[in-house]
Amino acid sequence: MTALAPVKTGNIQLKFSTDGVTATVQLIDPKSKTAPKAEAIVNAIERAGITIDDKIKERVDQVVEATQKGEGPVEPFVVAEGTRPIHGKHEQINWDESLRAQLDEWQQEMPPDAYPVQAVTRVEPGQRFATLQPAVKPKPGRSLLGEEVPAKGEGMPLDFHMTIQRDEDDPSVLIAGVAGQVVQDELNVCVEPVHLINGDVGLETGHIATTAPIWIEGRISDHYVVQSDHNITTTGAIESAHVTSQKSIFVRRGIIGRHNGLVEATEDIVAKFVTDAFLKAGRDAVVGKQIMNSHICVGHSLEAPSAGLIGGSTFVQETLRVASVGSDADIPTRLVLGVKTAIVYQLTMIIKRVRAARDTLDRIQAIVDPLEEAKSRLTVDQRRILRELISKTDDAKKTIADDEKEYEKLIEDVFSDEPAALLIEKVINPKTTLCIRDRMTSFEREVRGPVRIERRKIKNATELVLLDDKGLVIRPLPSERIDPAQVIEGFETSNFERANTENQATPDT
């Protein structure tokens, strides 16, 4: 496909789209009193190899007339157009109004599209839940030079499982054949039965473990374990519990960790607020109103454009967007971007294990040392106990050595190569510490938003730079280089002891 270069003629600039389908004109100096000539614009279009027709002449005359009246074109005005390609679109589901109304209730105080409709709604047998928007087949276009412009996409139909039926009178209407949640995996769509808890997870339910999606009409209470190989949805809050999903976790209220528990998802975690909690999201996290005194690991991006992030430590591999960081009460808040958060979590667990193993070793050694000094006076049973204790010290030393070896291996791979940025809508408060990869800066004064902070090379030196909302550099920030061990400082993990659910697991539905 031939690329057409822009052309300047008088006070007019003629530009072509990258696919060559459209040509636009724009005034170089909108305040100039010299009106462009129609003939000059036509000649410029013709020199580009485009055949002039009556439609092009008419549009050029419109540009000239509008310019003479002082009405433009300030914005680019299309003067010539080929045939735009029609890009293919797969068959799509248009959700029923009743489900959209439920989604709207969940969405209140949240960023747009925080909750997917199929994750926060359920269907019953016989329920009409959606209509189909037909697939659009791709059709190539033609550039202004007559060249074919390829279309993107395929325009394939969806493949519906037997759990979904079509209305006899209107096949575009979809009807649920069973109770559950509508699940779409690429082009495959089905209704997947859910494990339904009609109330809170607590004494009456015990711990929950299943391969099915879990829907909880209530909260997850302190000290309980909820595990699923699929999504977990709760209409209440998650308290100091251990909640694990091999997909995503959707919380209508908030996560109240009480400095304990753990909420971890292989994909996303979405909640209205997070307080005193430990979170680990393999992909994204979305929070509506506030993140307070929590320790969070996010594998891709944390989106909380209306939330204040106060205290704790937040580790994000790529983009962190919040309204504000810290508070006017000078609460220390640590942000770390540009790191592989899965490795950060592993390193933190290793540090914790080594610390615990050393404490155990010290306690055993305190018993062993006096026994060894009095070894000649020990009874047979006491000698046996001494041998067992020495064996335990050897095991503890080996465990520590293995963990330290693993730590040294992982710490070398902690930095991510993906672009990382902090986006602040309102303010960065004092006592905020920010690390992006191996650069660290501390804020002792307030910085007003909207601003963006990135790690960039400025005059052959790597710096953390402050940018405005248009991406223009305001100034470099004073920063220092730190090593990987310093980067992972400040992140904490839960002391929650997960209960053994193997003998209590809820049968799959």
Side-chain angles (χ1 to χ4, degrees):
M1 193 162 53
T2 306
L4 297 172
V7 177
K8 291 183 180 179
T9 174
N11 193 32
I12 284 286
Q13 180 164 273
L14 177 68
K15 286 185 178 180
F16 302 92
S17 59
T18 53
D19 58 9
V21 172
T22 59
T24 59
V25 294
Q26 187 173 17
L27 292 178
I28 298 171
D29 178 11
K31 296 180 180 179
S32 173
K33 295 180 180 179
T34 304
K37 303 288 186 184
E39 185 179 359
I41 299 173
V42 170
N43 288 340
I45 297 171
E46 200 166 28
R47 285 199 303 274
I50 298 166
T51 302
I52 304 297
D53 57 21
D54 291 341
K55 193 170 184 179
I56 291 176
K57 289 179 180 178
E58 182 181 342
R59 289 190 175 186
V60 170
D61 288 340
Q62 288 175 9
V63 170
V64 173
E65 184 180 351
T67 304
Q68 289 172 342
K69 293 178 179 179
E71 298 172 355
V74 176
E75 298 297 326
F77 186 91
V78 176
V79 290
E81 192 169 18
T83 304
R84 296 178 184 273
I86 298 172
H87 298 301
K89 290 183 181 179
H90 295 322
E91 196 171 34
Q92 293 182 18
I93 294 174
N94 290 329
W95 301 96
D96 187 78
E97 284 300 321
S98 62
L99 299 189
R100 289 191 173 277
Q102 292 178 49
L103 175 65
D104 289 343
E105 291 176 3
W106 279 69
Q107 272 292 136
Q108 290 176 16
E109 301 178 306
M110 294 295 288
D113 304 320
Y115 297 103
V117 63
Q118 64 269 32
V120 298
T121 57
R122 290 184 293 121
V123 295
E124 299 295 337
Q127 180 179 344
R128 289 168 168 76
F129 66 88
T131 57
L132 283 177
Q133 183 175 319
V136 176
K137 291 293 183 183
K139 184 178 180 181
R142 287 282 168 187
S143 74
L144 290 164
L145 298 180
E147 297 175 340
E148 183 178 288
V149 179
K152 300 175 184 177
E154 296 179 84
M156 301 292 289
L158 294 173
D159 185 10
F160 294 99
H161 187 261
M162 64 178 67
T163 53
I164 296 175
Q165 302 159 2
R166 292 178 183 261
D167 187 279
E168 292 182 0
D169 297 327
D170 184 356
S172 70
V173 175
L174 302 179
I175 301 172
V178 296
Q181 287 183 306
V182 180
V183 175
Q184 181 172 350
D185 182 10
E186 295 184 349
L187 294 175
N188 301 308
V189 188
C190 70
V191 176
E192 190 158 356
V194 299
H195 183 85
L196 176 62
I197 305 294
N198 268 317
D200 300 336
V201 173
L203 281 173
E204 291 187 6
T205 65
H207 304 298
I208 307 295
T210 176
T211 59
I214 298 175
W215 182 285
I216 301 162
E217 282 286 346
R219 72 181 190 278
I220 303 175
S221 304
D222 290 345
H223 311 307
Y224 284 88
V225 176
V226 177
Q227 300 172 345
S228 173
D229 291 348
H230 214 291
N231 292 338
I232 297 173
T233 304
T234 175
T235 64
I238 295 178
E239 297 180 353
S240 176
H242 193 146
V243 182
T244 306
S245 166
Q246 296 305 312
K247 290 199 173 180
S248 296
I249 297 172
F250 302 99
V251 186
R252 183 169 181 180
R253 305 302 179 195
I255 299 171
I256 310 161
R258 300 191 178 95
H259 305 290
N260 206 342
L262 175 64
V263 179
E264 56 180 333
T266 301
E267 295 178 359
D268 306 332
I269 298 174
V270 184
K272 290 288 197 316
F273 63 87
V274 178
T275 302
D276 300 329
F278 297 92
L279 266 62
K280 181 172 176 275
R283 190 169 59 192
D284 295 330
V286 183
V287 180
K289 296 187 288 187
Q290 190 178 70
I291 304 169
M292 174 75 80
N293 294 330
S294 297
H295 295 272
I296 300 175
C297 254
V298 180
H300 183 251
S301 296
L302 170 54
E303 286 288 324
S306 299
L309 194 165
I310 304 171
S313 62
T314 301
F315 284 65
V316 177
Q317 184 160 324
E318 295 182 27
T319 303
L320 169 57
R321 183 194 304 269
V322 291
S324 62
V325 179
S327 76
D328 53 14
D330 290 351
I331 297 176
T333 305
R334 183 175 176 83
L335 311 178
V336 180
L337 311 178
V339 292
K340 297 176 183 177
T341 52
I343 291 179
V344 169
Y345 196 86
Q346 285 179 269
L347 289 167
T348 307
M349 295 301 291
I350 289 172
I351 292 169
K352 201 169 189 176
R353 285 201 305 270
V354 168
R355 189 180 297 129
R358 288 192 186 282
D359 288 344
T360 301
L361 187 59
D362 289 344
R363 287 196 300 271
I364 295 173
Q365 201 67 50
I367 300 170
V368 168
D369 289 345
L371 289 175
E372 288 210 308
E373 289 179 7
K375 192 173 183 179
S376 60
R377 300 191 300 275
L378 298 180
T379 65
V380 173
D381 285 342
Q382 288 172 330
R383 288 173 183 269
R384 177 180 54 78
I385 292 169
L386 177 59
R387 287 194 300 271
E388 290 173 355
L389 289 172
I390 291 172
S391 176
K392 286 182 179 180
T393 62
D394 291 341
D395 290 344
K397 288 175 182 177
K398 184 179 184 305
T399 299
I400 290 169
D402 289 346
D403 273 340
E404 287 178 339
K405 185 177 178 181
E406 181 70 7
Y407 177 92
E408 293 302 325
K409 177 184 174 183
L410 290 172
I411 198 74
E412 295 299 320
D413 192 34
V414 74
F415 293 128
S416 169
D417 294 328
E418 299 297 326
L422 171 65
L423 286 75
I424 301 293
E425 301 295 331
K426 293 182 179 178
V427 64
I428 303 174
N429 284 289
K431 301 302 178 185
T432 295
T433 301
L434 170 65
C435 302
I436 301 184
R437 284 179 55 88
D438 60 349
R439 305 298 301 183
M440 181 177 76
T441 187
S442 296
F443 295 87
E444 298 304 325
R445 290 184 299 173
E446 178 182 277
V447 174
R448 305 298 299 181
V451 292
R452 178 186 182 99
I453 300 175
E454 296 178 355
R455 181 179 176 272
R456 284 191 182 183
K457 220 162 205 181
I458 305 288
K459 296 180 180 178
N460 297 322
T462 301
E463 304 279 3
L464 296 184
V465 294
L466 188 69
L467 302 98
D468 64 17
D469 57 348
K470 295 179 181 177
L472 300 175
V473 175
I474 299 172
R475 66 178 184 276
L477 296 169
S479 66
E480 61 179 308
R481 186 173 181 179
I482 56 176
D483 61 41
Q486 290 173 289
V487 170
I488 67 169
E489 286 178 1
F491 185 72
E492 297 178 13
T493 57
S494 171
N495 292 320
F496 187 93
E497 293 187 6
R498 184 172 63 183
N500 181 3
T501 61
E502 290 182 6
N503 299 323
Q504 308 178 58
T506 305
D508 296 341
T509 53

